[in-house]
Amino acid sequence: MKRKFKIVVTVAIDTEPTAIDHIGVRQGLNWLQDKVEYLLIDPLKNTPEEIARKIIDFKPDLVVYYMDLLLRQKIPERISGKIKCRQVFWELDYRPLKANLEQSYDGFWQEWKEQMKYLEHIFLSNKGQLNAWKDFFGVSTSYLPHGCYIVDKLEYDEKFR
């Protein structure tokens, strides 16, 4: 039997269980369960040391950093050289750029930039910023829309009438 492709996704799946994008990540991975083996790690519930250890022990083919907190905690650097896997970042922010990337977002650009040497790719939900991110970080980028989930059965709720 062929080994399944192994994916780690770092997402606040336990601490923010009702976020539609978090539900969607789990739903999408469940749909792929015949093809992939996955591990969801909640970065708000685990220490950086625990996160790095869990990733290394799982021996994934791919790590998707779904939250920038992991870049600030230097998780890509912590696991680099300990296992061989691809590491990517999925930034889901729609905020507009100010004058440049360094003045935009949360002010963590330098910390993010330091970790980019360990990453192979950035998925970005803001299509208009693909080139700016590619130029600033020196990492290839592509568009991937913000996550959501598909409702299996619609139910009418009177309170939202």
Side-chain angles (χ1 to χ4, degrees), residues 4 21-22 44 57 59 65 72 77 92 102 109 116-117 142:
K4 290 183 182 180
D21 53 326
H22 300 179
L44 303 179
D57 290 348
K59 297 178 181 70
Y65 297 105
R72 290 183 273 134
E77 182 178 347
L92 303 171
E102 288 123 314
W109 290 99
M116 289 300 163
K117 65 182 166 189
S142 60

PDB file of all heavy atoms in Angstrom, residues 4 21-22 44 57 59 65 72 77 92 102 109 116-117 142:
ATOM      1  N   LYS A   4       0.411   7.505   2.417  1.00  0.00           N
ATOM      2  CA  LYS A   4      -0.354   8.726   2.189  1.00  0.00           C
ATOM      3  C   LYS A   4       0.556   9.948   2.335  1.00  0.00           C
ATOM      4  O   LYS A   4       1.491   9.955   3.141  1.00  0.00           O
ATOM      5  CB  LYS A   4      -1.497   8.846   3.197  1.00  0.00           C
ATOM      6  CG  LYS A   4      -2.605   7.852   2.999  1.00  0.00           C
ATOM      7  CD  LYS A   4      -3.707   8.105   4.012  1.00  0.00           C
ATOM      8  CE  LYS A   4      -4.827   7.110   3.881  1.00  0.00           C
ATOM      9  NZ  LYS A   4      -5.885   7.377   4.868  1.00  0.00           N
ATOM     10  N   ASP A  21     -13.433  29.624   8.524  1.00  0.00           N
ATOM     11  CA  ASP A  21     -12.265  29.168   7.767  1.00  0.00           C
ATOM     12  C   ASP A  21     -11.603  27.987   8.460  1.00  0.00           C
ATOM     13  O   ASP A  21     -11.085  27.083   7.802  1.00  0.00           O
ATOM     14  CB  ASP A  21     -11.278  30.311   7.519  1.00  0.00           C
ATOM     15  CG  ASP A  21     -10.863  31.052   8.777  1.00  0.00           C
ATOM     16  OD1 ASP A  21     -11.685  31.190   9.703  1.00  0.00           O
ATOM     17  OD2 ASP A  21      -9.711  31.515   8.836  1.00  0.00           O
ATOM     18  N   HIS A  22     -11.625  27.932   9.778  1.00  0.00           N
ATOM     19  CA  HIS A  22     -11.050  26.808  10.511  1.00  0.00           C
ATOM     20  C   HIS A  22     -11.884  25.543  10.276  1.00  0.00           C
ATOM     21  O   HIS A  22     -11.350  24.452  10.067  1.00  0.00           O
ATOM     22  CB  HIS A  22     -10.967  27.112  12.003  1.00  0.00           C
ATOM     23  CG  HIS A  22     -10.109  28.303  12.298  1.00  0.00           C
ATOM     24  ND1 HIS A  22      -9.910  28.763  13.579  1.00  0.00           N
ATOM     25  CD2 HIS A  22      -9.385  29.120  11.502  1.00  0.00           C
ATOM     26  CE1 HIS A  22      -9.115  29.819  13.555  1.00  0.00           C
ATOM     27  NE2 HIS A  22      -8.789  30.055  12.297  1.00  0.00           N
ATOM     28  N   LEU A  44      -2.531  28.324  19.454  1.00  0.00           N
ATOM     29  CA  LEU A  44      -2.938  29.084  20.643  1.00  0.00           C
ATOM     30  C   LEU A  44      -3.005  28.195  21.875  1.00  0.00           C
ATOM     31  O   LEU A  44      -3.089  28.680  22.994  1.00  0.00           O
ATOM     32  CB  LEU A  44      -4.293  29.757  20.399  1.00  0.00           C
ATOM     33  CG  LEU A  44      -4.360  30.700  19.194  1.00  0.00           C
ATOM     34  CD1 LEU A  44      -5.758  31.287  19.056  1.00  0.00           C
ATOM     35  CD2 LEU A  44      -3.304  31.790  19.287  1.00  0.00           C
ATOM     36  N   ASP A  57       7.906  15.047  14.943  1.00  0.00           N
ATOM     37  CA  ASP A  57       7.492  13.662  15.206  1.00  0.00           C
ATOM     38  C   ASP A  57       6.548  13.118  14.125  1.00  0.00           C
ATOM     39  O   ASP A  57       6.581  11.937  13.812  1.00  0.00           O
ATOM     40  CB  ASP A  57       6.812  13.541  16.572  1.00  0.00           C
ATOM     41  CG  ASP A  57       7.779  13.722  17.741  1.00  0.00           C
ATOM     42  OD1 ASP A  57       9.010  13.719  17.513  1.00  0.00           O
ATOM     43  OD2 ASP A  57       7.287  13.884  18.874  1.00  0.00           O
ATOM     44  N   LYS A  59       6.595  13.916  10.951  1.00  0.00           N
ATOM     45  CA  LYS A  59       7.359  13.763   9.705  1.00  0.00           C
ATOM     46  C   LYS A  59       6.501  14.046   8.461  1.00  0.00           C
ATOM     47  O   LYS A  59       6.344  13.197   7.582  1.00  0.00           O
ATOM     48  CB  LYS A  59       7.986  12.377   9.614  1.00  0.00           C
ATOM     49  CG  LYS A  59       8.996  12.084  10.690  1.00  0.00           C
ATOM     50  CD  LYS A  59       9.537  10.662  10.553  1.00  0.00           C
ATOM     51  CE  LYS A  59      10.525  10.332  11.626  1.00  0.00           C
ATOM     52  NZ  LYS A  59       9.979  10.176  12.957  1.00  0.00           N
ATOM     53  N   TYR A  65       1.533  26.890   7.338  1.00  0.00           N
ATOM     54  CA  TYR A  65       1.406  27.827   8.453  1.00  0.00           C
ATOM     55  C   TYR A  65       0.222  28.730   8.148  1.00  0.00           C
ATOM     56  O   TYR A  65       0.291  29.633   7.328  1.00  0.00           O
ATOM     57  CB  TYR A  65       2.689  28.645   8.632  1.00  0.00           C
ATOM     58  CG  TYR A  65       3.848  27.766   8.989  1.00  0.00           C
ATOM     59  CD1 TYR A  65       4.838  27.459   8.056  1.00  0.00           C
ATOM     60  CD2 TYR A  65       3.953  27.218  10.263  1.00  0.00           C
ATOM     61  CE1 TYR A  65       5.903  26.636   8.387  1.00  0.00           C
ATOM     62  CE2 TYR A  65       5.002  26.382  10.594  1.00  0.00           C
ATOM     63  CZ  TYR A  65       5.971  26.099   9.655  1.00  0.00           C
ATOM     64  OH  TYR A  65       7.017  25.287   9.978  1.00  0.00           O
ATOM     65  N   ARG A  72       6.340  34.261  13.811  1.00  0.00           N
ATOM     66  CA  ARG A  72       6.918  35.036  14.914  1.00  0.00           C
ATOM     67  C   ARG A  72       7.564  34.136  15.955  1.00  0.00           C
ATOM     68  O   ARG A  72       8.525  34.519  16.602  1.00  0.00           O
ATOM     69  CB  ARG A  72       5.842  35.919  15.555  1.00  0.00           C
ATOM     70  CG  ARG A  72       5.422  37.051  14.630  1.00  0.00           C
ATOM     71  CD  ARG A  72       4.423  37.982  15.263  1.00  0.00           C
ATOM     72  NE  ARG A  72       3.080  37.464  15.048  1.00  0.00           N
ATOM     73  CZ  ARG A  72       2.147  37.393  15.984  1.00  0.00           C
ATOM     74  NH1 ARG A  72       2.383  37.815  17.200  1.00  0.00           N
ATOM     75  NH2 ARG A  72       0.954  36.912  15.709  1.00  0.00           N
ATOM     76  N   GLU A  77      12.063  27.867  11.264  1.00  0.00           N
ATOM     77  CA  GLU A  77      13.486  27.743  11.598  1.00  0.00           C
ATOM     78  C   GLU A  77      13.729  26.587  12.571  1.00  0.00           C
ATOM     79  O   GLU A  77      14.691  25.831  12.422  1.00  0.00           O
ATOM     80  CB  GLU A  77      13.968  29.059  12.215  1.00  0.00           C
ATOM     81  CG  GLU A  77      15.418  29.092  12.561  1.00  0.00           C
ATOM     82  CD  GLU A  77      15.842  30.442  13.122  1.00  0.00           C
ATOM     83  OE1 GLU A  77      15.074  31.437  13.022  1.00  0.00           O
ATOM     84  OE2 GLU A  77      16.952  30.512  13.678  1.00  0.00           O
ATOM     85  N   LEU A  92      -4.227  35.096   5.088  1.00  0.00           N
ATOM     86  CA  LEU A  92      -5.637  35.264   4.760  1.00  0.00           C
ATOM     87  C   LEU A  92      -6.143  36.682   4.949  1.00  0.00           C
ATOM     88  O   LEU A  92      -7.337  36.890   5.104  1.00  0.00           O
ATOM     89  CB  LEU A  92      -6.467  34.313   5.628  1.00  0.00           C
ATOM     90  CG  LEU A  92      -6.087  32.854   5.483  1.00  0.00           C
ATOM     91  CD1 LEU A  92      -6.785  32.019   6.529  1.00  0.00           C
ATOM     92  CD2 LEU A  92      -6.432  32.359   4.101  1.00  0.00           C
ATOM     93  N   GLU A 102       6.072  47.076   4.692  1.00  0.00           N
ATOM     94  CA  GLU A 102       6.561  47.240   6.065  1.00  0.00           C
ATOM     95  C   GLU A 102       5.648  48.099   6.921  1.00  0.00           C
ATOM     96  O   GLU A 102       5.611  47.954   8.135  1.00  0.00           O
ATOM     97  CB  GLU A 102       7.972  47.852   6.079  1.00  0.00           C
ATOM     98  CG  GLU A 102       9.012  46.887   5.618  1.00  0.00           C
ATOM     99  CD  GLU A 102       9.816  47.412   4.444  1.00  0.00           C
ATOM    100  OE1 GLU A 102       9.215  47.944   3.501  1.00  0.00           O
ATOM    101  OE2 GLU A 102      11.036  47.280   4.482  1.00  0.00           O
ATOM    102  N   TRP A 109       6.649  42.396   9.910  1.00  0.00           N
ATOM    103  CA  TRP A 109       7.258  42.076   8.625  1.00  0.00           C
ATOM    104  C   TRP A 109       8.686  41.575   8.739  1.00  0.00           C
ATOM    105  O   TRP A 109       9.079  40.646   8.044  1.00  0.00           O
ATOM    106  CB  TRP A 109       7.198  43.285   7.696  1.00  0.00           C
ATOM    107  CG  TRP A 109       5.798  43.531   7.275  1.00  0.00           C
ATOM    108  CD1 TRP A 109       4.927  44.442   7.797  1.00  0.00           C
ATOM    109  CD2 TRP A 109       5.065  42.819   6.284  1.00  0.00           C
ATOM    110  NE1 TRP A 109       3.704  44.341   7.185  1.00  0.00           N
ATOM    111  CE2 TRP A 109       3.771  43.361   6.248  1.00  0.00           C
ATOM    112  CE3 TRP A 109       5.383  41.782   5.412  1.00  0.00           C
ATOM    113  CZ2 TRP A 109       2.789  42.905   5.382  1.00  0.00           C
ATOM    114  CZ3 TRP A 109       4.411  41.332   4.545  1.00  0.00           C
ATOM    115  CH2 TRP A 109       3.130  41.886   4.533  1.00  0.00           C
ATOM    116  N   MET A 116      11.169  33.542   6.124  1.00  0.00           N
ATOM    117  CA  MET A 116      10.876  33.205   4.730  1.00  0.00           C
ATOM    118  C   MET A 116      11.982  32.372   4.076  1.00  0.00           C
ATOM    119  O   MET A 116      11.713  31.642   3.128  1.00  0.00           O
ATOM    120  CB  MET A 116      10.624  34.464   3.898  1.00  0.00           C
ATOM    121  CG  MET A 116       9.329  35.147   4.220  1.00  0.00           C
ATOM    122  SD  MET A 116       7.883  34.098   3.933  1.00  0.00           S
ATOM    123  CE  MET A 116       6.659  34.985   4.860  1.00  0.00           C
ATOM    124  N   LYS A 117      13.193  32.441   4.592  1.00  0.00           N
ATOM    125  CA  LYS A 117      14.259  31.628   3.983  1.00  0.00           C
ATOM    126  C   LYS A 117      14.025  30.133   4.204  1.00  0.00           C
ATOM    127  O   LYS A 117      14.648  29.305   3.562  1.00  0.00           O
ATOM    128  CB  LYS A 117      15.633  32.056   4.490  1.00  0.00           C
ATOM    129  CG  LYS A 117      15.884  31.838   5.957  1.00  0.00           C
ATOM    130  CD  LYS A 117      17.260  32.364   6.327  1.00  0.00           C
ATOM    131  CE  LYS A 117      17.410  32.481   7.813  1.00  0.00           C
ATOM    132  NZ  LYS A 117      18.635  33.184   8.173  1.00  0.00           N
ATOM    133  N   SER A 142       1.163  32.714  -4.789  1.00  0.00           N
ATOM    134  CA  SER A 142       0.012  32.428  -5.641  1.00  0.00           C
ATOM    135  C   SER A 142      -1.260  32.727  -4.853  1.00  0.00           C
ATOM    136  O   SER A 142      -1.249  32.783  -3.623  1.00  0.00           O
ATOM    137  CB  SER A 142       0.027  30.986  -6.149  1.00  0.00           C
ATOM    138  OG  SER A 142      -0.013  30.072  -5.096  1.00  0.00           O
TER     139      SER A 142
END
